[in-house]
Amino acid sequence: PSEAALHQVRDQFPGLHENELIYLDNAATTQKPDVVLKAMDDFYKTSNANVHRGAHRLSDLATRAFEGARDKVQAFINAPAREEVLFTRGTTESMNLLAQSLGQHLLQPGDEILIDTWAHHACIVPWQQIAAKTGAKLVPIPLLNDGELDQSAYQSLLSEKTKVVSLTHISNALGKRAPIERMIPKAKAQGAYVVIDGAQAVAHEAVDVQALGCDFYAFSGHKCYGPTGIGVLWGKRALLEQMPPYQYGGEMIDTVSFEGTQFNTLPYKFEAGTPAIAEAIGLGRALEFIQELGIDRIAAHEAALMAKAKNELAKIGKLTLLAAKGSNHGALSFNVTGEHHQDIGILLDQEGIAVRCGHHCCQPLMQSLGLKGSCRVSFALYNTEEEVDAFVSALADIVEFLDD
Ligand code: PMP
């Protein structure tokens, strides 16, 4: 967006103004625009009822708003069918659903699940647990020295044993983007199912699940200007039809007797109980908000902020940027030689700058890099060049202060 448009956009985020902070922790969660807060508030004020039940008008209104949100998600990721869009609590629940349901349906002793070394614990742990139960094996795709995924190792790890390939679209810890357009067809050629963790991608680039050719795609509402408590698992219909339910209860059934249960059709088979109705509506509005601004314009703005940050940070001695060769998308990690990342984060916070410090829920990645953790800055559409300048100058002062 142009600078003028940008200021208007910033004005639409009350969280940025209530707290006098330079908020550079957007990979953890984004601030929410007024339109999202209003959509949720309006739902509770004007249409609050449970969905998919009740013969009454209010329930019909609520159901239409909730199912309308599903249509918005479908359009946003270009899913072929609305029934393939499952609402979950977030990427973590999407991965648990998939690992338990697909894993139980598919995995046999000796089967392999390939997973990239960038993977978030939300991907690693569910697959690791189902692997232990089924006798399958979790096999990491290693990194090259520059932090990129080792593509030749990936190619040689793929075999007839590979049943699932789990790939991180954009790494939350490093901001690196996997060449999934090239990696997905290789897995498909081996007959493996491919799941993409899109938690860090949907706010930063256009996602088209049909063009990608993956089998499953997961993301969280709160990382793309929507509320917490809502996320998505998209999956191909034929697979979802075959997979057993993940949770059992109301909504996900067709008929129940004490002798047995017939399950509901998609997507309801995977949505037991009363869903997060207001949150789904908020997510739908957030995706529209992104589309109104234009994801390509947002990406261009964030890329400019990233280029400026990398350029300026490179001038600070004792600072190591992680995996900064090539492009970084949304997030950039760094360490200060001889200093603990947590101390840097606390000192930045004292200057009113919010960043994330730690292992970023990627302990195996940190082990592979030989690190305990890092500091991470991450950008959103409302961040400005002035904020990047303020951050770099605060960090330069901190490094100098610690040096004395
Ligand atoms: N994967 C990635 C790449 C992430 O960045 C995150 C959130 N940090 C998750 C998965 C988990 O998302 P959530 O906590 O919203 O379930």
Side-chain angles (χ1 to χ4, degrees):
S2 69
E3 280 304 306
L6 202 64
H7 283 293
Q8 278 174 8
V9 173
R10 277 186 75 84
D11 288 346
Q12 294 171 32
F13 285 83
L16 292 175
H17 303 292
E18 290 291 322
N19 308 291
E20 291 201 359
L21 267 185
I22 293 182
Y23 188 74
L24 300 178
D25 192 18
N26 295 286
T29 200
T30 53
Q31 299 298 327
K32 320 303 173 198
D34 283 320
V35 286
V36 167
L37 303 176
K38 183 170 182 318
M40 295 173 70
D41 201 37
D42 283 353
F43 165 73
Y44 281 123
K45 285 178 179 159
T46 68
S47 336
N48 178 46
N50 212 329
V51 291
H52 307 137
R53 2 195 140 191
H56 58 86
R57 264 172 297 161
L58 209 53
S59 173
D60 188 43
L61 264 182
T63 303
R64 273 196 263 163
F66 177 70
E67 291 300 332
R70 198 187 307 274
D71 295 333
K72 290 173 191 174
V73 174
Q74 182 201 347
F76 193 78
I77 59 171
N78 193 30
R82 66 187 312 284
E83 297 79 15
E84 298 179 339
V85 173
L86 313 182
F87 283 124
T88 63
R89 280 196 298 128
T91 310
T92 302
E93 191 177 47
S94 297
M95 292 302 172
N96 277 280
L97 186 167
L98 189 61
Q100 286 191 36
S101 175
L102 182 72
Q104 184 185 326
H105 169 67
L106 180 75
L107 295 173
Q108 303 285 334
D111 286 347
E112 292 184 352
I113 303 154
L114 293 196
I115 189 161
D116 63 80
T117 296
W118 295 343
H120 192 280
H121 297 162
C123 298
I124 301 171
V125 187
W127 287 116
Q128 187 175 59
Q129 297 306 308
I130 197 73
K133 276 198 191 121
T134 56
K137 200 172 147 202
L138 191 65
V139 180
I141 305 164
L143 297 184
L144 296 171
N145 286 340
D146 59 3
E148 299 281 356
L149 300 178
D150 184 339
Q151 293 299 328
S152 71
Y154 171 57
Q155 183 69 64
S156 43
L157 286 170
L158 279 168
S159 75
E160 69 283 353
K161 288 191 212 154
T162 314
K163 291 293 177 319
V164 175
V165 174
S166 170
L167 298 174
T168 311
H169 198 164
I170 293 179
S171 150
N172 62 307
L174 301 176
K176 299 309 283 184
R177 184 188 189 284
I180 57 172
E181 291 78 1
R182 284 194 279 123
M183 295 177 81
I184 293 169
K186 289 181 179 164
K188 295 310 300 170
Q190 278 293 347
Y193 295 121
V194 184
V195 49
I196 306 294
D197 173 357
Q200 294 297 334
V202 285
H204 304 293
E205 68 173 78
V207 171
D208 180 333
V209 292
Q210 294 189 64
L212 286 173
C214 54
D215 298 288
F216 300 95
Y217 195 95
F219 66 97
S220 301
H222 70 98
K223 294 187 195 277
C224 53
Y225 311 103
T228 52
I230 189 80
V232 170
L233 177 66
W234 167 79
K236 285 185 181 157
R237 186 201 300 263
L239 291 168
L240 295 175
E241 299 272 16
Q242 291 168 42
M243 285 159 49
Y246 163 63
Q247 288 184 334
Y248 301 90
E251 291 276 303
M252 57 76 65
I253 55 89
D254 181 21
T255 57
V256 179
S257 72
F258 282 114
E259 284 69 47
T261 295
Q262 291 291 112
F263 302 131
N264 205 340
T265 51
L266 293 175
Y268 312 109
K269 180 174 111 178
F270 289 103
E271 294 181 356
T274 299
I277 306 168
E279 287 77 3
I281 293 166
L283 169 59
R285 189 66 191 90
L287 299 181
E288 276 180 338
F289 173 79
I290 292 176
Q291 281 167 328
E292 284 156 15
L293 285 172
I295 188 85
D296 293 340
R297 288 168 73 212
I298 295 170
H301 171 70
E302 291 169 348
L305 296 180
M306 181 59 75
K308 184 176 172 65
K310 281 167 86 168
N311 195 32
E312 300 293 318
L313 289 172
K315 296 178 193 158
I316 304 178
K318 291 186 74 182
L319 202 78
T320 315
L321 301 181
L322 305 186
K325 216 175 91 191
S327 53
N328 298 75
H329 302 260
L332 179 68
S333 260
F334 61 91
N335 272 313
V336 179
T337 311
E339 307 298 342
H340 197 282
H341 48 266
Q342 212 70 44
D343 294 336
I344 303 295
I346 291 166
L347 291 169
L348 280 168
D349 182 55
Q350 284 173 8
E351 300 303 313
I353 296 164
V355 303
R356 174 80 182 266
C357 300
H359 52 60
H360 315 291
C361 299
C362 296
Q363 288 183 7
L365 169 62
M366 292 297 146
Q367 282 154 17
S368 152
L369 297 171
L371 297 169
K372 289 225 158 56
S374 71
C375 296
R376 177 192 70 189
V377 275
S378 52
F379 301 118
L381 60 89
Y382 39 66
N383 289 122
T384 63
E385 302 220 339
E386 292 76 51
E387 287 181 314
V388 174
D389 283 335
F391 155 65
V392 174
S393 129
L395 185 58
D397 289 349
I398 288 167
V399 171
E400 202 182 302
F401 163 76
L402 291 169
D403 224 11
D404 284 345

